[in-house]
Amino acid sequence: YATAIDAGSASFVFSYWFRVYNFNNDRGRVTVEYLNSSNTVLSTYSSGNINNFITWNNYTDTRTAPVNTRTIRISLYADRLSGTAADAYFDNL
């Protein structure tokens, strides 16, 4: 994709389903980082902290990759605020 990315014509869609079991007030978040060959972050999508969703919710981010993007890093986070488990669920990434 390097040629299309550097021409500014490569769009990427990141979509996922997410829910949090809200009994323990746990939370989660997703980040997508577009990095150059030196691993410098050029652009970031972040869901922010999400909590208290018993039902599944769909999130989507569509963006044109910044020129010089060579790696896209996706990170999933689940934070346990109480109890014994972090109850954040991700599906269909």
Side-chain angles (χ1 to χ4, degrees):
Y1 290 100
T3 302
I5 289 170
D6 293 343
S9 61
S11 290
F12 293 89
V13 177
F14 179 70
S15 179
Y16 59 100
W17 288 85
F18 180 76
R19 76 177 212 144
V20 177
Y21 182 63
N22 73 349
F23 178 74
N24 291 326
N25 293 317
D26 293 339
R27 65 183 180 202
R29 75 182 182 282
V30 173
T31 62
V32 180
E33 298 173 308
Y34 295 77
L35 301 98
N36 66 15
S37 60
S38 299
N39 288 326
T40 300
V41 176
L42 304 173
S43 179
T44 301
Y45 160 79
S46 176
S47 66
N49 287 324
I50 301 170
N51 57 5
N52 294 327
F53 286 127
I54 288 197
T55 60
W56 287 98
N57 291 281
N58 182 247
Y59 296 86
T60 300
D61 179 66
T62 303
R63 68 182 60 217
T64 300
V67 171
N68 293 322
T69 295
R70 294 299 176 262
T71 302
I72 299 173
R73 179 173 43 209
I74 299 167
S75 301
L76 310 175
Y77 301 91
D79 298 323
R80 178 177 53 95
L81 300 179
S82 63
T84 59
D87 296 309
Y89 307 97
F90 307 90
D91 196 16
N92 202 29
L93 292 113

